[in-house]
Amino acid sequence: METASYLATIKVGDAIEPTRKAISCGVSFLFREDGFVWTRLFTAKSRGEAVQRASNWFFSLKCSKHAKANIPHVTVKDLTVDDPRNEVFFYKRFRCFDANSKLLEDETIERLLKESRGKLRKSKLDRKKFACRSSVEWNRNSKRLSYRPPCLEWTGFPRLYLEPDTGAFIYKLKKQSQQTVGTKYSFRKSVNTTPMPRKEGDGRRVWTGKVIDIEKGFKIQELRYKSVRLKAKSLEAARKEISLKWSETHSADDS
């Protein structure tokens, strides 16, 4: 599966520069409209993986003497990770505490709340101080248990689905391939044959019984997919977007 670069941002507020060691590890010191920030790029296969790496980096950074002395006011709430692939969106089986739903930017949160139609809200409870928490939570006034969104409709294109309510196209990328061990194949030595029905007279024959005995193995790794919302508004545009972004991955998975 292809990897992507995700930008982690820490809002430090004041003009506090990172240490030389942090700069050598790829940390940048920038100024934005809302103040000074530290940024770092993480390469990962999914946004959830990037969130975990950014979280580990943040808490290891907070343990340093420089951070304790200069940025004690900075908490995990000031850490965000962008979403360049549009992996965060509201659809069936949405899980607030999934790694992909944490450390969201304000723009992504607002879009997610709009897509949920009042079923989600910004997180209000501070359950954990030493771990990244979900950026959104279920609205207690909404009937979460009665929420049954419609199933995704298959478009006829491999792993491409349509969400009926919003008209958005959902593409499922292979996150993890299946691995099986212990499978054994054995060919039988004597199998009955008969002349080929449609090719009589040329001497060719076909088997009439079982040729291969297969001993089933066991799976050591499940096949998993992750859903990505496309920007395209039509089926042709969606297929074109897939061919431009994941043409190599798509051909390798289907082969």
Side-chain angles (χ1 to χ4, degrees):
M1 180 179 175
E2 294 182 356
T3 58
S5 297
Y6 299 86
L7 183 65
T9 304
I10 302 177
K11 297 180 181 179
V12 295
D14 301 328
I16 303 172
E17 296 184 6
T19 60
R20 292 182 179 179
K21 182 179 180 181
I23 295 176
S24 64
C25 295
V27 179
S28 301
F29 180 60
L30 305 174
F31 176 76
R32 295 181 178 175
E33 296 180 357
D34 51 352
F36 291 91
V37 297
W38 295 0
T39 61
R40 183 179 177 182
L41 283 174
F42 290 91
T43 302
K45 295 181 179 179
S46 64
R47 187 183 180 277
E49 182 181 346
V51 167
Q52 294 176 354
R53 293 185 180 181
S55 177
N56 295 335
W57 165 65
F58 174 80
F59 288 110
S60 63
L61 188 68
K62 286 286 290 182
C63 294
S64 64
K65 294 181 180 179
H66 179 267
K68 291 179 180 179
N70 296 281
I71 54 172
H73 59 283
V74 177
T75 64
V76 71
K77 294 181 181 179
D78 301 313
L79 174 65
T80 58
V81 177
D82 66 348
D83 182 26
R85 284 182 168 180
N86 295 324
E87 300 175 43
V88 181
F89 54 89
F90 185 80
Y91 74 114
K92 68 174 184 177
R93 297 182 181 179
F94 181 82
R95 294 178 294 179
C96 295
F97 289 95
D98 189 78
N100 191 41
S101 305
K102 298 179 180 179
L103 305 182
L104 298 177
E105 297 177 319
D106 292 337
E107 297 178 357
T108 307
I109 293 176
E110 294 298 330
R111 176 174 56 81
L112 196 59
L113 298 182
K114 184 178 180 181
E115 292 176 357
S116 68
R117 300 179 182 179
K119 293 181 173 62
L120 296 178
R121 67 183 182 188
K122 289 185 178 181
S123 296
K124 298 181 179 180
L125 302 178
D126 296 333
R127 297 182 177 88
K128 296 180 180 180
K129 295 183 179 179
F130 301 99
C132 60
R133 63 191 184 94
S134 175
S135 300
V136 294
E137 62 186 9
W138 287 97
N139 193 343
R140 298 181 184 275
N141 295 327
S142 64
K143 297 181 180 179
R144 175 185 174 185
L145 297 179
S146 63
Y147 173 59
R148 295 293 184 271
C151 298
L152 298 178
E153 297 179 358
W154 185 48
T155 60
F157 189 76
R159 303 199 304 275
L160 180 61
Y161 297 85
L162 174 67
E163 192 175 17
D165 283 351
T166 61
F169 288 93
I170 309 298
Y171 184 61
K172 293 188 176 182
L173 282 171
K174 182 181 288 187
K175 183 179 180 180
Q176 178 177 280
S177 59
Q178 177 178 317
Q179 293 184 5
T180 307
V181 296
T183 305
K184 296 181 180 179
Y185 301 89
S186 58
F187 293 86
R188 295 186 177 183
K189 296 182 179 180
S190 58
V191 181
N192 296 328
T193 60
T194 185
M196 184 176 291
R198 292 179 295 177
K199 300 290 182 180
E200 296 181 359
D202 61 356
R204 286 188 284 182
R205 304 176 67 86
V206 295
W207 287 296
T208 59
K210 190 175 182 180
V211 182
I212 304 175
D213 293 323
I214 302 176
E215 182 180 347
K216 293 184 179 180
F218 58 93
K219 290 188 291 186
I220 60 174
Q221 182 171 284
E222 294 286 343
L223 174 63
R224 294 182 180 179
Y225 292 92
K226 74 168 185 176
S227 300
V228 177
R229 170 170 287 183
L230 304 180
K231 297 180 180 180
K233 300 299 182 182
S234 63
L235 179 59
E236 292 298 327
R239 296 180 62 176
K240 185 176 181 180
E241 183 177 348
I242 292 172
S243 63
L244 292 175
K245 291 184 178 181
W246 303 288
S247 58
E248 297 181 358
T249 304
H250 180 77
S251 59
D253 293 344
D254 294 340
S255 60

mmCIF file with all atom_site columns, all heavy atoms in Angstrom, residues 186-191 207 211:
data_model
loop_
_atom_site.group_PDB
_atom_site.id
_atom_site.type_symbol
_atom_site.label_atom_id
_atom_site.label_alt_id
_atom_site.label_comp_id
_atom_site.label_asym_id
_atom_site.label_entity_id
_atom_site.label_seq_id
_atom_site.pdbx_PDB_ins_code
_atom_site.Cartn_x
_atom_site.Cartn_y
_atom_site.Cartn_z
_atom_site.occupancy
_atom_site.B_iso_or_equiv
_atom_site.pdbx_formal_charge
_atom_site.auth_seq_id
_atom_site.auth_comp_id
_atom_site.auth_asym_id
_atom_site.auth_atom_id
_atom_site.pdbx_PDB_model_num
ATOM 1  N N   . SER A 1 186 ? -1.756  -31.398 -2.952  1.00 0.00 ? 186 SER A N   1
ATOM 2  C CA  . SER A 1 186 ? -1.224  -32.683 -3.413  1.00 0.00 ? 186 SER A CA  1
ATOM 3  C C   . SER A 1 186 ? -2.024  -33.144 -4.630  1.00 0.00 ? 186 SER A C   1
ATOM 4  O O   . SER A 1 186 ? -3.265  -33.129 -4.619  1.00 0.00 ? 186 SER A O   1
ATOM 5  C CB  . SER A 1 186 ? -1.297  -33.732 -2.299  1.00 0.00 ? 186 SER A CB  1
ATOM 6  O OG  . SER A 1 186 ? -2.629  -33.911 -1.856  1.00 0.00 ? 186 SER A OG  1
ATOM 7  N N   . PHE A 1 187 ? -1.313  -33.540 -5.696  1.00 0.00 ? 187 PHE A N   1
ATOM 8  C CA  . PHE A 1 187 ? -1.947  -33.981 -6.933  1.00 0.00 ? 187 PHE A CA  1
ATOM 9  C C   . PHE A 1 187 ? -2.156  -35.501 -6.897  1.00 0.00 ? 187 PHE A C   1
ATOM 10 O O   . PHE A 1 187 ? -1.238  -36.258 -6.538  1.00 0.00 ? 187 PHE A O   1
ATOM 11 C CB  . PHE A 1 187 ? -1.085  -33.607 -8.140  1.00 0.00 ? 187 PHE A CB  1
ATOM 12 C CG  . PHE A 1 187 ? -0.998  -32.130 -8.374  1.00 0.00 ? 187 PHE A CG  1
ATOM 13 C CD1 . PHE A 1 187 ? -0.044  -31.364 -7.727  1.00 0.00 ? 187 PHE A CD1 1
ATOM 14 C CD2 . PHE A 1 187 ? -1.885  -31.499 -9.235  1.00 0.00 ? 187 PHE A CD2 1
ATOM 15 C CE1 . PHE A 1 187 ? 0.040   -30.003 -7.937  1.00 0.00 ? 187 PHE A CE1 1
ATOM 16 C CE2 . PHE A 1 187 ? -1.814  -30.138 -9.455  1.00 0.00 ? 187 PHE A CE2 1
ATOM 17 C CZ  . PHE A 1 187 ? -0.849  -29.384 -8.800  1.00 0.00 ? 187 PHE A CZ  1
ATOM 18 N N   . ARG A 1 188 ? -3.330  -35.932 -7.269  1.00 0.00 ? 188 ARG A N   1
ATOM 19 C CA  . ARG A 1 188 ? -3.627  -37.360 -7.319  1.00 0.00 ? 188 ARG A CA  1
ATOM 20 C C   . ARG A 1 188 ? -2.956  -37.988 -8.542  1.00 0.00 ? 188 ARG A C   1
ATOM 21 O O   . ARG A 1 188 ? -2.950  -37.408 -9.629  1.00 0.00 ? 188 ARG A O   1
ATOM 22 C CB  . ARG A 1 188 ? -5.134  -37.586 -7.378  1.00 0.00 ? 188 ARG A CB  1
ATOM 23 C CG  . ARG A 1 188 ? -5.861  -37.130 -6.112  1.00 0.00 ? 188 ARG A CG  1
ATOM 24 C CD  . ARG A 1 188 ? -7.326  -37.506 -6.152  1.00 0.00 ? 188 ARG A CD  1
ATOM 25 N NE  . ARG A 1 188 ? -8.007  -37.125 -4.922  1.00 0.00 ? 188 ARG A NE  1
ATOM 26 C CZ  . ARG A 1 188 ? -9.290  -37.387 -4.676  1.00 0.00 ? 188 ARG A CZ  1
ATOM 27 N NH1 . ARG A 1 188 ? -10.031 -38.032 -5.580  1.00 0.00 ? 188 ARG A NH1 1
ATOM 28 N NH2 . ARG A 1 188 ? -9.827  -37.007 -3.534  1.00 0.00 ? 188 ARG A NH2 1
ATOM 29 N N   . LYS A 1 189 ? -2.419  -39.173 -8.355  1.00 0.00 ? 189 LYS A N   1
ATOM 30 C CA  . LYS A 1 189 ? -1.679  -39.830 -9.431  1.00 0.00 ? 189 LYS A CA  1
ATOM 31 C C   . LYS A 1 189 ? -2.610  -40.445 -10.469 1.00 0.00 ? 189 LYS A C   1
ATOM 32 O O   . LYS A 1 189 ? -2.327  -40.419 -11.664 1.00 0.00 ? 189 LYS A O   1
ATOM 33 C CB  . LYS A 1 189 ? -0.756  -40.893 -8.844  1.00 0.00 ? 189 LYS A CB  1
ATOM 34 C CG  . LYS A 1 189 ? 0.331   -40.318 -7.944  1.00 0.00 ? 189 LYS A CG  1
ATOM 35 C CD  . LYS A 1 189 ? 1.244   -41.414 -7.427  1.00 0.00 ? 189 LYS A CD  1
ATOM 36 C CE  . LYS A 1 189 ? 2.355   -40.843 -6.555  1.00 0.00 ? 189 LYS A CE  1
ATOM 37 N NZ  . LYS A 1 189 ? 3.259   -41.898 -6.029  1.00 0.00 ? 189 LYS A NZ  1
ATOM 38 N N   . SER A 1 190 ? -3.706  -41.020 -10.028 1.00 0.00 ? 190 SER A N   1
ATOM 39 C CA  . SER A 1 190 ? -4.611  -41.686 -10.972 1.00 0.00 ? 190 SER A CA  1
ATOM 40 C C   . SER A 1 190 ? -5.992  -41.048 -10.893 1.00 0.00 ? 190 SER A C   1
ATOM 41 O O   . SER A 1 190 ? -6.657  -41.102 -9.863  1.00 0.00 ? 190 SER A O   1
ATOM 42 C CB  . SER A 1 190 ? -4.711  -43.181 -10.646 1.00 0.00 ? 190 SER A CB  1
ATOM 43 O OG  . SER A 1 190 ? -5.165  -43.376 -9.323  1.00 0.00 ? 190 SER A OG  1
ATOM 44 N N   . VAL A 1 191 ? -6.392  -40.423 -12.002 1.00 0.00 ? 191 VAL A N   1
ATOM 45 C CA  . VAL A 1 191 ? -7.704  -39.779 -12.084 1.00 0.00 ? 191 VAL A CA  1
ATOM 46 C C   . VAL A 1 191 ? -8.345  -40.199 -13.403 1.00 0.00 ? 191 VAL A C   1
ATOM 47 O O   . VAL A 1 191 ? -7.685  -40.208 -14.452 1.00 0.00 ? 191 VAL A O   1
ATOM 48 C CB  . VAL A 1 191 ? -7.587  -38.247 -12.015 1.00 0.00 ? 191 VAL A CB  1
ATOM 49 C CG1 . VAL A 1 191 ? -8.974  -37.612 -12.074 1.00 0.00 ? 191 VAL A CG1 1
ATOM 50 C CG2 . VAL A 1 191 ? -6.864  -37.819 -10.744 1.00 0.00 ? 191 VAL A CG2 1
ATOM 51 N N   . TRP A 1 207 ? -10.475 -34.404 -17.182 1.00 0.00 ? 207 TRP A N   1
ATOM 52 C CA  . TRP A 1 207 ? -10.624 -35.176 -15.953 1.00 0.00 ? 207 TRP A CA  1
ATOM 53 C C   . TRP A 1 207 ? -12.088 -35.247 -15.548 1.00 0.00 ? 207 TRP A C   1
ATOM 54 O O   . TRP A 1 207 ? -12.853 -34.295 -15.718 1.00 0.00 ? 207 TRP A O   1
ATOM 55 C CB  . TRP A 1 207 ? -9.826  -34.530 -14.814 1.00 0.00 ? 207 TRP A CB  1
ATOM 56 C CG  . TRP A 1 207 ? -8.347  -34.714 -14.956 1.00 0.00 ? 207 TRP A CG  1
ATOM 57 C CD1 . TRP A 1 207 ? -7.660  -35.874 -14.929 1.00 0.00 ? 207 TRP A CD1 1
ATOM 58 C CD2 . TRP A 1 207 ? -7.382  -33.678 -15.139 1.00 0.00 ? 207 TRP A CD2 1
ATOM 59 N NE1 . TRP A 1 207 ? -6.313  -35.656 -15.081 1.00 0.00 ? 207 TRP A NE1 1
ATOM 60 C CE2 . TRP A 1 207 ? -6.110  -34.304 -15.207 1.00 0.00 ? 207 TRP A CE2 1
ATOM 61 C CE3 . TRP A 1 207 ? -7.443  -32.292 -15.254 1.00 0.00 ? 207 TRP A CE3 1
ATOM 62 C CZ2 . TRP A 1 207 ? -4.932  -33.594 -15.383 1.00 0.00 ? 207 TRP A CZ2 1
ATOM 63 C CZ3 . TRP A 1 207 ? -6.273  -31.586 -15.424 1.00 0.00 ? 207 TRP A CZ3 1
ATOM 64 C CH2 . TRP A 1 207 ? -5.032  -32.235 -15.495 1.00 0.00 ? 207 TRP A CH2 1
ATOM 65 N N   . VAL A 1 211 ? -8.799  -33.723 -8.897  1.00 0.00 ? 211 VAL A N   1
ATOM 66 C CA  . VAL A 1 211 ? -7.398  -33.839 -9.284  1.00 0.00 ? 211 VAL A CA  1
ATOM 67 C C   . VAL A 1 211 ? -6.464  -33.428 -8.147  1.00 0.00 ? 211 VAL A C   1
ATOM 68 O O   . VAL A 1 211 ? -5.420  -34.040 -7.943  1.00 0.00 ? 211 VAL A O   1
ATOM 69 C CB  . VAL A 1 211 ? -7.113  -32.977 -10.532 1.00 0.00 ? 211 VAL A CB  1
ATOM 70 C CG1 . VAL A 1 211 ? -5.662  -33.125 -10.966 1.00 0.00 ? 211 VAL A CG1 1
ATOM 71 C CG2 . VAL A 1 211 ? -8.049  -33.363 -11.661 1.00 0.00 ? 211 VAL A CG2 1
#
